[in-house]
């Protein structure tokens, strides 16, 4: 069976044979379909890229219909159960899980670079007392570009490796400082005797005790949350990372751009909105009325639906389990009962069934974060920490892909035809 498509242009009667590559056509091959030699040729029109592959990638595999998520071939369920977040970060960046020696070496390198330059700290002190933590995170990430001037040598593999390491090491410190800043608390310096996640907890929650002792159950829950959020192929923020990175901007500003994309309520900002929605609903008995209002176009059920998953988001299933483990330590967040009721009613309702709307990762993550003591404003920052790994792995893949060029989509022009500027008074 030939790997080709035959396309007939009914305007001219001409037939074209288009090669299939891994089952897909190259959009540029459409350009040969012209009505005359001056015709620009056919393009594919795909606002929001719902059916356009912009790259080849070997990092993350998703089958949205079956609810499958894998990093480098490993199912997310197994990674969440058996691995630590730094091991998964290593896997995503390097393609293989680390050996015990490699894991130790990787941890040492990661933990050695957790400190921020004192001027970064001063920079952060300049934010207003009620600045949104995500705004602080994005700005500070961009500001790192001014501290590591060599980062702009993006074609040098050694420089890239160092900057990727720096960014991943420092994101928990930046994130913790945004939290401390918004609480009016002094910043806590990293403690490199702790693991990546435990140290994050130390920088968040250490008060006057001489040595902070992280709760192991909470540390494991945070580690699992980080694993689940580490990458998700070509989503909005990753596409921003690749798009900005394709101009050979340095990885810090490209990561800031990706984080800005994550900030939006339709992407990583959704878990903040889920909590606000659960507050608005107020109690379990008000769920049916709320669902009815959503169906009457009152708005969306936040934490429901996904561009790719048309089945239960596998991350949401793991988080539902993790939520119960966290509540064993923190006490039950009453919002869980509203969320469970919302899920139960929505999954039985034709509106949601027909549209294949299931809970996504944001539906349960916010409830866990709140039980851990975070205000909703921090939720997207907590998402950005692990996703920095995915962004940078995708950036590295993009920079080293010989087929990639500066991202530059086309448009279908719908404006005025040529006209002359009238005489001015
Ligand atoms: N609640 C109610 N209806 C919904 C929802 C929802 N959460 N999501 C989609 N729909 C409806 C749409 O109104 C549309 O209905 P229609 O066919 O009658 O017009 C239909 O389902 C298809 O939805 P689209 O908007 O075409 O789906 P799309 O793939 O563009 O959007 C998105 C996906 C943005 C995630 C959407 O489902 C949404 O806004 N969900 C709520 C926000 C959210 O939870 N975002 C987090 C996503 S996960 C992440 O980014 C980490």
């Amino acid at each position: 069976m030939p790997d080709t498509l035959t396309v007939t242009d009914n305007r001219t009667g001409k037939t074209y044979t288009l090669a299939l590559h891994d089952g897909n056509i190259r959009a540029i091959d459409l350009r040969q379909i012209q009505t005359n030699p001056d015709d620009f040729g056919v393009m594919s029109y795909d606002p929001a890229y719902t059916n356009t592959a912009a790259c080849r990638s070997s990092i993350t595999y998703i089958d949205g219909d079956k609810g499958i998520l894998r990093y480098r071939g490993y199912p997310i369920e197994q990674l969440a159960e058996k691995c630590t977040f730094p091991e998964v970060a290593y896997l995503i960046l390097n393609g293989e899980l680390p050996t015990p020696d490699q894991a130790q070496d990787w941890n040492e390198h990661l933990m050695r670079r957790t400190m921020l330059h004192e001027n970064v700290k001063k920079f952060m002190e300049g934010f207003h007392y009620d600045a949104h933590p995500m705004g602080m995170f994005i700005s500070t990430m961009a500001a790192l570009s001014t501290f590591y001037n060599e980062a702009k040598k993006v074609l040098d593999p050694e420089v890239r490796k160092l900057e990727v390491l720096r960014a991943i090491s420092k994101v928990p410190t930046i994130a913790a400082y945004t939290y401390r800043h918004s609480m009016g608390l002094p910043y806590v310096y990293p403690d490199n005797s702790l693991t990546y996640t435990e140290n994050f907890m130390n920088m968040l929650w250490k008060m006057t005790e001489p040595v902070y002792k992280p709760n192991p159950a909470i540390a494991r829950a945070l580690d699992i949350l980080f694993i689940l959020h580490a990458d998700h192929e070509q989503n909005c923020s990753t596409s921003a990372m690749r798009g900005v990175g394709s101009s050979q901007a340095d990885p810090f500003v490209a990561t800031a751009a990706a984080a800005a994309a994550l900030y939006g309520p339709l992407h990583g900002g959704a878990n903040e909105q889920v909590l606000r929605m659960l507050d608005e609903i107020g109690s379990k008995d008000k769920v049916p009325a709320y669902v009815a209002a959503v169906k009457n176009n009152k708005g969306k059920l936040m934490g429901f639906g996904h561009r790719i998953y048309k089945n239960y988001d596998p991350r949401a299933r793991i988080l539902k389990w993790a939520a119960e483990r966290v509540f064993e330590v923190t006490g039950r967040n009453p919002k869980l009962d509203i969320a469970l009721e919302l899920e139960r009613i929505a999954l039985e309702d034709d509106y949601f069934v027909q549209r294949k709307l299931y809970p996504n990762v944001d539906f349960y993550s916010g409830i866990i974060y709140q039980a851990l003591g975070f205000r909703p404003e921090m939720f997207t920052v907590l998402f950005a920490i692990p996703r920095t790994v995915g962004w940078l792995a995708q950036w590295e893949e993009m920079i080293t892909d010989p087929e990639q060029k500066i991202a530059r989509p086309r448009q279908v022009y719908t404006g005025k035809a040529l006209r002359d500027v009238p005489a001015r008074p």
Side-chain angles (χ1 to χ4, degrees), residues 266-267 270 300-305 307 351 355 357 360 362:
L266 295 188
H267 190 11
K300 284 189 171 159
L301 212 53
M302 298 313 286
F304 261 72
R307 172 60 59 78
Y351 176 96
R355 290 170 177 77
L357 300 169
N360 58 49
D362 285 325

Side-chain angles (χ1 to χ4, degrees), residues 31 40-47 49 408-416:
R31 196 71 79 71
F40 184 78
V42 171
M43 294 189 295
S44 63
Y45 173 62
D46 189 9
Y49 310 127
R408 201 334 184 160
R410 307 294 309 209
Q411 65 168 9
V412 178
Y413 178 69
T414 59
K416 305 272 189 208

Side-chain angles (χ1 to χ4, degrees), residues 72 74 87-99 102:
R72 304 283 190 185
Y74 293 115
E87 286 173 328
V88 172
Y90 184 98
L91 168 73
I92 289 175
L93 290 161
N94 301 298
E96 295 297 338
L97 281 165
T99 63
Q102 286 169 331

Side-chain angles (χ1 to χ4, degrees), residues 104 192 196 219 257 267-268 289 311 382 400 404 414:
Q104 195 186 342
N192 295 352
Y196 188 86
H267 190 11
N311 198 324
L382 296 165
T400 51
Q404 287 292 332
T414 59

